[in-house]
Amino acid sequence: MMKSISMKVNPLYSDMDMSIQFHFEFSKGDCKVGEAMVSTYPLNGEVTYRKSQGGLSAKQEKCAVIDHFEVVQDLTKPCMTKLTHFLNVIGMKEIHSGYDLQLEATN
């Protein structure tokens, strides 16, 4: 089921709150089945240091906040799985919901 859903990612930069935002579009075949908006933020100045070939590198830990998630009801779970997998791959340490997912799903 998850392979039949494609996900398009459009990164955006927000000057207002100095965050990187991602707009996701989910589709199945030629039909759009939903979209989501996610903002990313640094986590309280947490920095991880690691040794690399070029010396010591620093990486700031980040979290993601799902600001908007609207998907056709029966595809909610596979789309959310794709979304969270992407966020984990790009290194989000934490993923939070900016709203109640259950409340929006019932409206």
Side-chain angles (χ1 to χ4, degrees), residues 17-37:
D17 57 4
M18 295 175 38
S19 69
I20 295 175
Q21 296 178 327
F22 294 95
H23 177 252
F24 297 87
E25 289 183 9
F26 302 99
S27 56
K28 188 171 183 179
D30 291 337
C31 298
K32 181 177 173 182
V33 295
E35 64 182 0
M37 183 67 91

Side-chain angles (χ1 to χ4, degrees), residues 32-48:
K32 181 177 173 182
V33 295
E35 64 182 0
M37 183 67 91
V38 177
S39 301
T40 62
Y41 302 96
L43 277 174
N44 302 330
E46 290 182 36
V47 179
T48 302

